[in-house]
């Protein structure tokens, strides 16, 4: 992918926001958070991959998509 990762979606990755909210990516590599507008740091990690973070700004009533791109 453009972020220099594997180019494939990774299931079972732990995805955490700087607020402390945490989720796990689904079997298709997708994760979701329902959060208030603001700027967040998103950190993804999984055993065998380098942990990576990205910043994303959430705007009211808009869906945001972020590909983090984990690398081995």
């Amino acid at each position: 992918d453009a972020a220099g990762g594997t180019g494939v979606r990774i299931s079972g990755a732990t995805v955490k926001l700087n607020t402390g909210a945490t989720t796990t990516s689904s079997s298709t590599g997708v994760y979701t958070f329902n959060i208030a507008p603001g700027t967040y740091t998103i950190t993804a990690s999984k055993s065998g991959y380098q942990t990576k973070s990205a910043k994303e700004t959430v705007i009211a009533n808009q869906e945001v998509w972020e590909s983090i791109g984990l690398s081995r």
Side-chain angles (χ1 to χ4, degrees), residues 4-21:
T6 63
V8 298
R9 292 181 175 180
I10 301 170
S11 66
T14 299
V15 185
K16 186 180 222 179
L17 296 178
N18 59 302
T19 63

Side-chain angles (χ1 to χ4, degrees), residues 4 10 15 20 24 33 35 37 53 61 63 68:
I10 301 170
V15 185
T24 302
F33 289 101
I35 52 179
S53 296
N61 302 313
E63 186 174 289
I68 297 176

